[in-house]
C-alpha cells in the first residue's frame, strides 16, 4: 500500500548510527523518519549479535547489543521519530524542493536531507536451494516474519537451526495451527535455552521436529500446498503446508545504493570528513556505509559522524537560521 510522509531528514538504516543521528538531529530541532528493510530496529546489533556484550562504548564498560539499541530508542524517544520498517529503500530522486525516497512497498518519504546509515547494505535472506523456490516466493514462501498474525491458524514449516528459526518456532507455536521445524543437523546453532524450549515443545506434541533433513521441492497450484523433504534415513516425503519460512540467516548486499549516483569506493560511500557529506549535495553517509582515510567501522566512529553531519544538515533544513552550538547540560533536550 502506498503512503506519503513529509519530514526534515530521512534516515536510511535503523542501526545504532542511524538511531543516534535522530538524537543529534533532534537537538537541532530537525525531525527524522527512519526506514529499514528489516522488520526491527538495531541493524547488525539486533540481527547478528543481540546478546553479545560490547565493551567499547564510552561510559558503558559493558552492555549487551540489544540493550544498547533499547537505550538508543529511549534516548531518541523525546524527538518522536517515525519509522517505516520491513521496507527496502530502492530509489532516491530529487523533487523541486526536497528529496523523495521510495521504498519497495511504495512508501514515499519527502525530506530536505537524506542520511544514509545503511551499514553493510541491505540484509538479504540466504535462500535454500530447492526446486520451484521462485515460483512460490510471496505465495507461501516467506523469508521474514513481519507480522506474526499472518500465520494465525496456518500450517507452517520453518526451516533452519539458528536463533531466528528457534525463536520464531517458539513464538508462533501459540499462533499457528501447526508447526514443523526442519533442520539439516541434529543440533541447533541457536541459544541453548531456545533449543531446549523447542525440544520441550516437540515432546509436548505442540510442534513437529524433523532433524537431519533437507528441503527438496515446493509444490502447489499457484500457491504453496506442500513441501518435499528428505532425511538421511528415509526417502523423500511431502508435508502439507500453507507457509514455508526458511530462516537460514541474512547476508548484507550494497543493493540499490550503488545506483544513486554516489561516489563509491570498495562498496562504501566516499565522504568528506568535514561533515560526512557525499558528492551529492543534501545526501550524507555515516556509519559502516561510508569510507574515508583512516575509517574504523566502530559504533563510536558512527556516533561522532552523526554529530558532525547534523551541523551541516541543519544548514540545509534551515538555510536562513544561524546555528549556535550548545551543550545538552546547558540547553537540555529541546521539546518537540
Ligand atoms: P548497521 O548496524 O549495519 O545498520 C544498517 C541498517 O541499514 C541495517 O539494519 C540494514 O537493514 C539497513 N539498510 C541497508 N540498506 C538499506 C536499504 N536500501 N533500505 C532500507 N534499509 C537498509 N562495533 C563496535 O563498535 N564494538 C563492538 O564490540 C562490535 N562488535 C561487533 C561484533 C560483530 C559480530 C559484528 C558483526 C560487528 C561488530 N561491531 C562492533 C561493528 C558494529 O556492529 C557496526 O560498526 C555497526 O553496526 C554499524 O552501525 P550502522 O548503523 O552504521 O550500520
Amino acid at each position: 500500500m502506498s503512503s506519503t510522509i513529509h519530514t526534515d531528514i530521512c534516515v536510511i538504516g535503523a542501526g545504532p548510527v542511524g538511531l543516534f543521528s535522530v538524537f543529534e538531529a533532534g537537538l537541532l530541532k530537525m525531525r527524522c523518519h527512519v526506514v529499514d528493510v528489516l522488520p526491527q530496529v538495531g541493524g547488525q546489533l539486533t540481527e547478528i549479535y543481540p546478546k553479545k556484550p560490547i565493551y567499547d562504548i564510552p561510559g558503558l564498560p559493558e552492555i549487551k547489543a540489544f540493550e544498547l539499541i533499547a537505550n538508543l530508542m529511549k534516548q531518541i524517544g523525546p524527538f518522536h521519530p517515525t519509522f517505516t520498517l520491513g521496507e527496502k529503500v530502492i530509489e532516491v530522486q530529487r523533487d523541486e524542493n526536497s528529496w523523495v525516497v521510495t521504498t519497495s512497498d511504495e512508501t514515499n518519504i519527502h525530506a530536505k536531507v537524506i542520511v544514509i546509515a545503511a551499514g553493510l547494505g541491505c540484509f538479504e535472506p540466504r535462500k535454500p536451494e530447492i526446486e520451484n523456490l521462485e515460483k512460490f516466493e510471496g505465495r507461501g514462501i516467506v523469508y521474514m516474519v513481519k507480522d506474526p498474525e499472518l500465520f494465525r491458524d496456518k500450517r507452517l514449516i520453518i526451516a533452519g537451526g539458528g536463533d531466528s528459526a528457534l525463536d520464531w518456532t517458539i513464538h508462533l507455536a501459540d499462533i499457528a495451527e501447526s508447526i514443523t521445524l526442519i533442520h539439516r543437523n541434529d543440533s541447533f546453532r541457536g541459544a541453548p535455552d531456545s533449543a531446549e524450549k523447542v525440544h520441550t515443545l516437540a515432546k509436548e506434541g505442540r510442534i513437529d521436529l524433523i532433524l537431519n533433513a533437507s528441503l527438496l521441492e515446493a509444490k502447489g497450484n499457484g500457491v504453496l500446498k506442500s513441501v518435499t523433504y528428505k532425511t538421511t534415513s528415509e526417502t523423500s516425503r511431502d508435508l502439507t503446508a500453507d507457509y514455508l519460512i526458511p530462516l537460514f540467516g541474512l547476508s548484507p548486499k550494497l543493493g540499490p545504493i550503488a545506483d544513486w549516483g554516489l561516489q563509491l569506493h570498495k562498496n562504501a560511500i566516499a565522504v568528506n570528513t568535514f561533515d560526512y557529506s557525499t558528492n551529492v549535495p543534501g545526501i550524507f553517509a555515516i556509519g559502516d556505509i561510508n569510507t574515508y582515510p583512516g575509517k574504523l567501522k566502530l559504533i563510536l566512529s558512527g556516533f561522532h559522524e552523526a554529530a558532525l553531519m547534523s551541523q551541516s544538515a541543519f544548514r540545509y533544513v534551515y538555510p536562513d537560521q544561524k546555528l549556535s552550538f550548545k551543550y545538552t547540560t546547558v540547553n537540555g533536550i529541546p521539546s518537540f
Side-chain angles (χ1 to χ4, degrees):
M1 204 176 64
S2 71
S3 63
T4 303
I5 291 151
H6 291 267
T7 186
D8 293 324
I9 299 182
C10 177
V11 181
I12 302 174
V17 177
L19 294 179
F20 191 65
S21 71
V22 174
F23 181 79
E24 288 296 323
L27 289 180
L28 303 178
K29 297 203 172 189
M30 293 179 287
R31 287 178 191 280
C32 293
H33 184 83
V34 187
V35 192
D36 204 298
V37 64
L38 295 176
Q40 77 281 327
V41 300
Q44 294 173 53
L45 285 74
T46 313
E47 194 54 46
I48 304 177
Y49 59 103
K51 292 181 188 159
K52 277 206 163 95
I54 304 175
Y55 300 101
D56 56 354
I57 304 298
L60 296 170
E62 180 181 340
I63 185 162
K64 291 210 173 69
F66 80 90
E67 289 168 340
L68 179 64
I69 295 303
N71 283 354
L72 285 166
M73 288 299 282
K74 189 173 170 199
Q75 194 170 16
I76 65 178
F79 301 123
H80 307 294
T82 46
F83 290 88
T84 297
L85 298 177
E87 295 183 26
K88 185 199 282 193
V89 172
I90 48 171
E91 199 172 53
V92 301
Q93 279 176 310
R94 190 71 200 158
D95 202 358
E96 216 173 296
N97 299 314
S98 64
W99 289 100
V100 185
V101 173
T102 305
T103 73
S104 45
D105 289 24
E106 292 177 32
T107 302
N108 289 309
I109 302 128
H110 295 252
K112 294 177 189 117
V113 163
I114 296 175
V115 172
I116 304 177
L120 305 173
C122 275
F123 284 102
E124 293 192 358
R126 290 198 184 92
K127 300 183 180 183
E129 287 177 15
I130 65 171
E131 256 182 76
N132 295 328
L133 185 79
E134 280 163 22
K135 203 163 135 191
F136 295 107
E137 283 178 335
R139 293 162 177 263
I141 298 184
V142 294
Y143 300 104
M144 273 184 204
V145 179
K146 287 189 196 170
D147 177 11
E149 280 304 309
L150 179 68
F151 305 108
R152 183 164 293 281
D153 302 328
K154 301 286 190 229
R155 295 160 299 180
L156 313 183
I157 297 174
I158 296 179
D163 283 315
S164 291
L166 296 177
D167 291 348
W168 281 119
T169 299
I170 296 163
H171 186 85
L172 294 171
D174 291 331
I175 293 174
E177 181 187 310
S178 67
I179 296 187
T180 304
L181 176 63
I182 297 185
H183 181 42
R184 63 182 170 175
N185 297 324
D186 54 8
S187 63
F188 293 111
R189 285 189 323 281
D193 58 324
S194 307
E196 205 179 304
K197 275 187 202 146
V198 162
H199 281 294
T200 305
L201 285 172
K203 271 189 212 131
E204 291 170 354
R206 294 176 57 205
I207 64 161
D208 291 315
L209 192 54
I210 301 176
L211 299 173
N212 297 311
S214 49
L215 304 174
L216 292 180
E217 189 181 352
K219 290 180 182 163
N221 191 6
V223 291
L224 185 75
K225 285 275 181 293
S226 68
V227 174
T228 312
Y229 70 92
K230 189 180 166 188
T231 61
T232 43
S233 55
E234 63 179 272
T235 51
S236 59
R237 289 183 63 176
D238 274 3
L239 203 59
T240 311
D242 301 305
Y243 285 99
L244 167 65
I245 315 176
L247 296 171
F248 295 161
L250 302 171
S251 65
K253 300 224 164 55
L254 190 58
I257 295 170
D259 306 323
W260 298 344
L262 300 163
Q263 192 189 332
L264 300 178
H265 180 67
K266 292 190 182 162
N267 265 349
I269 302 172
V271 287
N272 179 344
T273 50
F274 175 74
D275 57 2
Y276 303 97
S277 51
T278 67
N279 60 310
V280 178
I283 303 187
F284 298 82
I286 55 175
D288 278 12
I289 194 73
N290 75 15
T291 184
Y292 51 84
K295 168 76 183 181
L296 280 181
K297 286 190 180 178
L298 284 176
I299 297 162
L300 73 87
S301 319
F303 287 173
H304 161 81
E305 293 162 15
L308 292 198
M309 172 281 296
S310 297
Q311 306 279 308
S312 282
F314 178 89
R315 294 185 189 98
Y316 267 87
V317 175
Y318 301 114
D320 304 327
Q321 287 188 34
K322 193 167 172 287
L323 172 65
S324 61
F325 174 80
K326 296 253 169 55
Y327 292 125
T328 54
T329 41
V330 175
N331 255 21
I333 304 290
S335 54
F336 260 52

